[in-house]
Amino acid sequence: MANVVELKVGLHCDECIKKILKAIKKIEDIETYDVDRQLNKVIVTGNVTTAEVIRALNKIGKQANTWNEEEHSPNAN
């Protein structure tokens, strides 16, 4: 069964997005992937864990957080 991993990642420019997509493509057993630039969101579907995707992004110098971590921020109105 496929997992869906959604991460918040800083997407500052087209070069950042190209690097992220290149790193994601190297992960084994992914089915689909997408980048939502407006939400700074990376979505990966497949036989992959959140930790694997975060590791791949960390290797290229990108900080990634799960959306759940963001929900617990003190700025919630």
Side-chain angles (χ1 to χ4, degrees), residues 5-55:
V5 176
E6 295 183 349
L7 298 172
K8 187 169 184 79
V9 182
L11 305 172
H12 306 291
C13 63
D14 290 337
E15 281 303 310
C16 292
I17 293 170
K18 285 180 190 176
K19 285 181 182 180
I20 289 168
L21 293 176
K22 187 175 179 181
I24 289 171
K25 288 178 191 176
K26 292 180 181 179
I27 302 170
E28 288 186 36
D29 296 329
I30 61 168
E31 294 172 11
T32 63
Y33 54 89
D34 193 23
V35 173
D36 186 327
R37 190 173 185 163
Q38 282 188 315
L39 294 176
N40 286 321
K41 189 175 197 176
V42 173
I43 305 151
V44 181
T45 307
N47 186 18
V48 63
T49 65
T50 301
E52 286 176 306
V53 180
I54 290 174
R55 244 191 332 267

Side-chain angles (χ1 to χ4, degrees), residues 47-67:
N47 186 18
V48 63
T49 65
T50 301
E52 286 176 306
V53 180
I54 290 174
R55 244 191 332 267
L57 295 174
N58 286 343
K59 281 184 184 178
I60 61 166
K62 284 292 177 186
Q63 188 67 34
N65 297 309
T66 62
W67 282 89

